[in-house]
Amino acid sequence: MALTGRAALLAALGSLPVGIWEPSWTGLLAVNAPLAVACACDFALAAPVRRLGLARSGDTSARLGEAADVTLTVTNPSGRPLRAHVRDAWPPSSWQPGTEVEASRHQLTVPAGERRRLTTRLRPTRRGDRQADRVTIRSYGPLRLFSRQGTHKAPWTVRVLPPFTSRKHLPSKLARLRELDGRTSVLTRGEGTEFDSLREYVPGDDTRSIDWRATARQTSVAVRTWRPERDRHILVVLDTGRTSAGRVGDAPRLDASMDAALLLAALASRAGDRVDLLAYDRRVRALVQGRTAKDLLPSLVNAMAPLEPELVETNARGLTATALRTAPRRSLIVLLTSLDTAPIEEGLLPVLPQLTQRHTVLLASVADPHIARMASARGNTDAVYEAAAAAQAQTERHRTAEQLRRHGVTVVDATPDDLAPALADAYLALKAAGRL
């Protein structure tokens, strides 16, 4: 069988007379000369790297946890075929741990004057913008004894969006919304509701809803049904300050707040309400206003994607002033922040009346499920001390929530998995009570 490449060269060198291998200058030159010639030829036949053309295409966005495919097109304008190893470098968070080497390295052959495509599949582990780094190409000759190496810039950005895992709760919340919207009988009547239709009285209906004029024109008692008003304004405020950086499970509190905000926005837009977003700590980090129901969710996830917690104390006065400017008319202000005692008592409570005298305020906070597990732990001395500490933390949290409720604020305190549906339920309850 014929040998090729490096194996053929070594076989040829092995067939030289034994005397050639004697340690003399003549022997060394006799051995190295064929090798030098082979290496020079191999180097000369390797396709040049600097003249290659690189272009990108593919996905520009992906939800966290999903894959994004980015295609790199390599054009070889030279007269020699390109045999290369390619490293397509991206930030480490672009792949699952341990998969970077396999995902970013490719083998490529491009005939002279042609182009080929290779695809890099990203699986990002963090939100935000992932920007392509340099592309390193190592071009080999036919014997692979020598190579040429060069680096190219091929810019591309993939925006990693929030995953919106709470989307699974949307159908059940929409079913509840349809009940409130008058498609199913609504028995309650409150301030800020619109007359919908008449139906026959059933035991348990509020007698104040009886329409006596309609009853006089028919043989049965008629009652009015009501539905919540549409076109209400909701301002979702994301606190991106220091407390939002605390990790609960595998993600910061800010991520759970974003997920809850997305479910609320999807539900409220289906209810005909207008939803705006404000992200703030000491300055405005993101602002989404005036979007239609069709464009709302894409605009929100795009604005949330690059947000990261800032390790600064949130300026409650600045947040309040910005919220009042953003919502000049009566609105529902949903504040996604922490229930830690110090930031609430020293920052929010002194300025809270400015919000509550004009707006309905709903505060939602992410609770740590580990605290509840600690509070129920027993069995040894360490567990008892941990339970006592957890109980104290829970007591302070409940006391802070009660202070907010006394100021007229609706408080939702739930674990990351339960925060989004709990916030949606609180919104529906406010709508059913006519407080929007």
Side-chain angles (χ1 to χ4, degrees):
M1 182 175 63
L3 298 176
T4 59
R6 191 180 307 174
L9 177 62
L10 294 177
L13 292 176
S15 65
L16 293 174
V18 176
I20 296 295
W21 297 97
E22 294 177 358
S24 64
W25 287 107
T26 304
L28 289 174
L29 289 174
V31 173
N32 289 335
L35 181 61
V37 171
C39 290
C41 293
D42 200 47
F43 180 77
L45 292 174
V49 174
R50 296 187 181 278
R51 294 172 55 192
L52 297 175
L54 273 68
R56 289 193 187 271
S57 60
D59 296 332
T60 57
S61 64
R63 291 194 181 276
L64 183 64
E66 298 179 355
D69 291 335
V70 179
T71 300
L72 181 68
T73 303
V74 181
T75 303
N76 178 18
S78 71
R80 285 162 281 179
L82 173 68
R83 310 169 188 87
H85 287 170
V86 180
R87 180 177 182 265
D88 190 4
W90 290 76
S93 59
S94 301
W95 291 282
Q96 298 290 336
T99 64
E100 176 182 358
V101 174
E102 180 181 357
S104 63
R105 286 165 170 76
H106 310 270
Q107 290 189 5
L108 184 67
T109 301
V110 184
E114 297 187 14
R115 67 184 65 181
R116 292 292 185 270
R117 295 183 177 89
L118 56 88
T119 299
T120 300
R121 171 158 289 188
L122 309 179
R123 290 191 178 275
T125 58
R126 293 178 57 187
R127 284 183 299 99
D129 292 338
R130 298 292 167 266
Q131 297 180 347
D133 202 349
R134 296 169 295 179
V135 178
T136 302
I137 301 178
R138 181 174 293 174
S139 172
Y140 291 92
L143 299 179
R144 293 184 174 271
L145 295 174
F146 265 76
S147 64
R148 305 169 183 262
Q149 181 169 308
T151 299
H152 293 260
K153 290 184 177 180
W156 193 259
T157 301
V158 175
R159 172 156 288 190
V160 186
L161 307 174
F164 194 11
T165 55
S166 62
R167 184 191 295 270
K168 60 188 177 184
H169 298 289
L170 187 57
S172 62
K173 305 308 175 187
L174 288 175
R176 174 62 180 150
L177 178 64
R178 285 191 291 270
E179 294 179 0
L180 297 180
D181 203 26
R183 301 176 194 178
T184 302
S185 299
V186 178
L187 304 183
T188 59
R189 173 183 182 180
E191 179 185 358
T193 56
E194 294 178 345
F195 171 71
D196 182 37
S197 60
L198 295 172
R199 62 173 176 82
E200 188 175 347
Y201 175 86
V202 295
D205 284 344
D206 190 341
T207 55
R208 293 174 298 178
S209 296
I210 296 176
D211 189 317
W212 296 108
R213 291 186 179 180
T215 300
R217 294 194 297 268
Q218 59 188 36
T219 59
S220 59
V221 178
V223 296
R224 302 184 187 95
T225 60
W226 306 85
R227 61 182 177 184
E229 294 181 2
R230 291 176 173 267
D231 199 29
R232 303 296 92 187
H233 181 227
I234 300 171
L235 176 62
V236 179
V237 181
L238 281 176
D239 181 357
T240 57
R242 172 185 60 83
T243 56
S244 67
R247 299 188 72 84
V248 178
D250 296 330
R253 284 186 167 90
L254 181 59
D255 285 29
S257 298
M258 288 180 179
D259 194 50
L262 289 174
L263 180 62
L264 175 63
L267 180 63
S269 63
R270 297 288 186 89
D273 293 336
R274 295 174 292 111
V275 182
D276 294 337
L277 172 73
L278 169 67
Y280 191 93
D281 43 68
R282 290 189 177 179
R283 64 181 179 86
V284 176
R285 301 290 177 178
L287 181 62
V288 177
Q289 285 183 294
R291 297 297 192 273
T292 62
K294 180 180 179 181
D295 297 332
L296 178 61
L297 281 182
S299 299
L300 290 181
V301 296
N302 193 55
M304 291 177 180
L307 289 178
E308 295 292 343
E310 299 292 331
L311 300 182
V312 296
E313 200 70 42
T314 299
N315 182 353
R317 292 187 180 276
L319 184 150
T320 301
T322 306
L324 291 174
R325 288 196 302 270
T326 308
R329 298 181 179 179
R330 182 168 182 81
S331 308
L332 170 64
I333 294 183
V334 180
L335 179 57
L336 290 149
T337 185
S338 78
L339 268 178
D340 293 349
T341 302
I344 294 294
E345 292 184 349
E346 298 174 10
L348 184 60
L349 283 179
V351 297
L352 191 58
Q354 300 177 33
L355 291 176
T356 54
Q357 69 182 359
R358 187 187 303 180
H359 303 291
T360 301
V361 180
L362 193 161
L363 186 145
S365 180
V366 183
D368 190 347
H370 182 62
I371 299 296
R373 290 194 296 268
M374 286 175 56
S376 60
R378 299 293 186 272
N380 55 51
T381 304
D382 292 341
V384 171
Y385 278 113
E386 288 182 355
Q392 182 178 1
Q394 288 178 329
T395 301
E396 291 181 355
R397 197 174 182 88
H398 294 159
R399 181 172 59 84
T400 302
E402 285 302 320
Q403 285 182 296
L404 292 169
R405 292 187 180 100
R406 285 197 294 270
H407 283 78
V409 177
T410 301
V411 178
V412 175
D413 185 20
T415 60
D417 292 339
D418 298 331
L419 181 65
L423 179 59
D425 288 339
Y427 162 77
L428 292 173
L430 290 173
K431 217 162 176 58
R435 294 182 58 188
L436 298 186

